[in-house]
CSV table of all heavy atoms in Angstrom, one decimal:
chain,number,residue,atom,x,y,z
A,3,TRP,N,-7.8,-1.9,0.4
A,3,TRP,CA,-6.6,-1.4,-0.3
A,3,TRP,C,-6.4,0.0,0.1
A,3,TRP,O,-7.3,0.8,0.3
A,3,TRP,CB,-6.9,-1.4,-1.9
A,3,TRP,CG,-5.7,-1.0,-2.7
A,3,TRP,CD1,-4.7,-1.7,-3.2
A,3,TRP,CD2,-5.4,0.4,-3.0
A,3,TRP,NE1,-3.8,-0.9,-3.8
A,3,TRP,CE2,-4.2,0.4,-3.7
A,3,TRP,CE3,-6.0,1.6,-2.7
A,3,TRP,CZ2,-3.6,1.5,-4.1
A,3,TRP,CZ3,-5.3,2.8,-3.1
A,3,TRP,CH2,-4.2,2.7,-3.8
A,23,VAL,N,-8.4,-7.9,-12.7
A,23,VAL,CA,-7.6,-6.9,-13.5
A,23,VAL,C,-8.5,-5.7,-13.8
A,23,VAL,O,-8.1,-4.6,-13.6
A,23,VAL,CB,-7.0,-7.6,-14.8
A,23,VAL,CG1,-6.4,-6.5,-15.7
A,23,VAL,CG2,-6.0,-8.6,-14.4
A,27,GLN,N,-8.0,-1.9,-12.2
A,27,GLN,CA,-7.8,-0.7,-13.1
A,27,GLN,C,-8.9,0.3,-12.8
A,27,GLN,O,-8.6,1.5,-12.7
A,27,GLN,CB,-7.8,-1.2,-14.5
A,27,GLN,CG,-7.4,-0.1,-15.5
A,27,GLN,CD,-7.2,-0.6,-16.9
A,27,GLN,OE1,-6.6,-1.7,-17.1
A,27,GLN,NE2,-7.8,0.1,-17.9
A,38,ALA,N,-3.4,10.3,-7.0
A,38,ALA,CA,-2.5,10.5,-5.9
A,38,ALA,C,-1.1,10.7,-6.5
A,38,ALA,O,-0.3,11.6,-6.0
A,38,ALA,CB,-2.5,9.2,-5.0
A,61,VAL,N,-3.0,-4.0,-17.3
A,61,VAL,CA,-2.6,-3.1,-16.3
A,61,VAL,C,-1.3,-2.4,-16.7
A,61,VAL,O,-1.1,-1.2,-16.5
A,61,VAL,CB,-2.6,-3.7,-14.9
A,61,VAL,CG1,-1.8,-2.8,-13.9
A,61,VAL,CG2,-4.0,-3.9,-14.4
A,76,PRO,N,10.9,-7.4,-6.9
A,76,PRO,CA,11.2,-8.9,-7.0
A,76,PRO,C,10.1,-9.7,-6.3
A,76,PRO,O,9.4,-9.2,-5.4
A,76,PRO,CB,12.5,-9.0,-6.2
A,76,PRO,CG,12.5,-7.8,-5.3
A,76,PRO,CD,11.7,-6.7,-6.0
A,80,SER,N,7.6,-9.1,0.0
A,80,SER,CA,6.6,-8.2,0.5
A,80,SER,C,7.0,-7.6,1.8
A,80,SER,O,6.6,-6.5,2.2
A,80,SER,CB,5.3,-9.0,0.7
A,80,SER,OG,5.4,-10.0,1.7
A,86,GLU,N,3.2,-3.1,3.8
A,86,GLU,CA,3.0,-4.3,4.6
A,86,GLU,C,3.1,-3.9,6.1
A,86,GLU,O,2.4,-4.4,7.0
A,86,GLU,CB,4.0,-5.4,4.3
A,86,GLU,CG,3.8,-5.9,2.8
A,86,GLU,CD,2.4,-6.4,2.5
A,86,GLU,OE1,1.7,-6.9,3.4
A,86,GLU,OE2,2.0,-6.3,1.3
A,100,HIS,N,-12.3,-2.3,21.9
A,100,HIS,CA,-13.0,-3.4,22.7
A,100,HIS,C,-14.4,-2.9,22.9
A,100,HIS,O,-14.6,-1.7,23.3
A,100,HIS,CB,-12.3,-3.7,24.0
A,100,HIS,CG,-11.0,-4.3,23.8
A,100,HIS,ND1,-10.8,-5.6,23.4
A,100,HIS,CD2,-9.7,-3.9,23.9
A,100,HIS,CE1,-9.6,-5.9,23.2
A,100,HIS,NE2,-8.8,-4.9,23.5
A,115,GLN,N,-10.9,5.0,10.2
A,115,GLN,CA,-10.5,5.9,11.3
A,115,GLN,C,-9.1,5.7,11.7
A,115,GLN,O,-8.3,6.7,11.9
A,115,GLN,CB,-11.4,5.7,12.5
A,115,GLN,CG,-11.1,6.4,13.8
A,115,GLN,CD,-12.0,6.0,14.9
A,115,GLN,OE1,-13.1,5.6,14.8
A,115,GLN,NE2,-11.5,6.2,16.1
A,123,ALA,N,4.5,11.0,10.4
A,123,ALA,CA,5.9,10.7,10.7
A,123,ALA,C,6.2,9.2,10.7
A,123,ALA,O,7.2,8.7,10.2
A,123,ALA,CB,6.3,11.2,12.1
A,126,CYS,N,6.3,8.2,7.0
A,126,CYS,CA,7.6,8.7,6.4
A,126,CYS,C,8.7,7.9,6.8
A,126,CYS,O,9.6,7.6,6.0
A,126,CYS,CB,7.8,10.2,6.8
A,126,CYS,SG,6.7,11.4,6.0
A,143,ASN,N,21.6,-11.9,1.9
A,143,ASN,CA,21.3,-12.8,0.7
A,143,ASN,C,19.8,-13.1,0.6
A,143,ASN,O,19.5,-14.3,0.3
A,143,ASN,CB,22.2,-14.1,0.7
A,143,ASN,CG,23.6,-13.8,0.6
A,143,ASN,OD1,24.0,-13.0,-0.2
A,143,ASN,ND2,24.4,-14.5,1.4
Side-chain angles (χ1 to χ4, degrees):
W3 180 95
V23 170
Q27 186 172 319
V61 166
S80 61
E86 298 303 329
H100 293 286
Q115 175 186 333
C126 289
N143 296 317

